[in-house]
Amino acid sequence: MGKPRVATTSLCGCFGCHMSLLDIDERILSLVELVDFDRSPINDIKELSGPVDIGLVEGGCANEETVKVLQEFREHCRVLISVGDCAINGGIPAMRNMVPLRECFREAFLDGPTVVNPAGKIPDDEEIPLLLDRVYPCHEVVKVEYHLPGCPPSADTLWEALNALLEGRSLELPYELIKYD
C-alpha cells in the first residue's frame, strides 16, 4: 500500500495559507516521508492525478470558476479541510458582500478615483469568470470535514492537523494553535 496522498488548491484568497504550509520549514522533509503530494506548491503540480486522502483548500468562492474548481477538488478528496478564514467565512474578499455587486463594478471600472476608462464600459468578456452575488465559504458549496481557522493558520496548526489525520487521531487542536488574541 502506498503513502497517503495530499493535495491543495487555492480559490479566492491571498495564498497565505499555502505559505503557512511551506513555513513548516524542515518538517517538510518529514512530511514528504509520510505522504505523496499531488497538486500542491510543494511539488508545483497543477492538476490532480487521481483521488487523494486529504485535500486542503484555501480561499472562498467568489466566481463561477472558483465554484467549479472546488466542486472538482471535492470529488477527488476523501477528507477536505477548509484552511484559513477565507475558506471558512469568506475572509477579506467577503467584505464585498456588504455592497451590491453592481456598485462594486461601478467603483472598480467606472467611478473609482484611479479609474481611467474612456469607453465607460464594464468588462464583460466571456473569458472573465462571472462573479457570484457574494463570496461564499467552502462549506456552503461542498461538504467540508474540518476547518482550520486563522489568517493564515500557523505552520504548527497545519503540521499538527495533518499529523493527527495521518496517524488516525481525531483532529482536536490545543487552544494555543487556534487562538487569535
Side-chain angles (χ1 to χ4, degrees):
M1 185 169 127
K3 295 189 282 187
R5 298 172 54 78
V6 174
T8 69
T9 195
S10 184
L11 306 174
C12 180
C14 70
F15 216 73
C17 297
H18 274 87
M19 294 308 297
S20 276
L21 179 61
L22 296 174
D23 281 346
I24 65 174
D25 299 325
E26 70 277 355
R27 294 176 290 186
I28 200 129
L29 298 173
S30 299
L31 190 57
V32 169
E33 292 296 319
L34 298 173
V35 303
D36 284 328
F37 279 97
D38 200 307
R39 175 186 176 157
S40 104
I42 292 171
N43 54 14
D44 202 29
I45 293 176
K46 308 275 193 269
E47 300 292 327
L48 285 169
S49 62
V52 297
D53 297 289
I54 300 171
L56 304 170
V57 60
E58 76 164 300
C61 292
N63 60 45
E64 289 179 334
E65 182 179 334
T66 54
V67 168
K68 181 180 174 190
V69 167
L70 179 60
Q71 290 171 334
E72 289 175 0
F73 193 70
R74 170 75 259 194
E75 287 176 19
H76 291 87
C77 299
R78 185 177 57 80
V79 172
L80 185 62
I81 304 172
S82 281
V83 180
D85 293 344
C86 293
I88 294 170
N89 62 31
I92 297 294
M95 289 178 70
R96 81 164 167 91
N97 292 355
M98 298 181 284
V99 179
L101 195 53
R102 182 175 303 278
E103 287 182 40
C104 289
F105 284 141
R106 288 199 60 79
E107 182 69 18
F109 300 109
L110 302 175
D111 301 332
T114 61
V115 172
V116 176
N117 183 353
K121 185 177 177 198
I122 295 173
D124 63 352
D125 189 286
E126 62 188 43
E127 294 290 319
I128 300 172
L130 184 65
L131 283 180
L132 302 175
D133 61 331
R134 67 185 187 91
V135 177
Y136 292 84
C138 294
H139 65 274
E140 289 186 16
V141 177
V142 299
K143 179 183 178 196
V144 173
E145 281 78 18
Y146 299 102
H147 298 85
L148 296 179
C151 184
S154 70
D156 291 336
T157 301
L158 287 161
W159 174 253
E160 181 57 35
L162 285 171
N163 274 287
L165 293 174
L166 291 169
E167 293 169 5
R169 294 185 282 124
S170 63
L171 186 53
E172 295 177 20
L173 298 173
Y175 177 74
E176 296 75 32
L177 291 181
I178 57 172
K179 72 173 178 116
Y180 298 95
D181 300 335

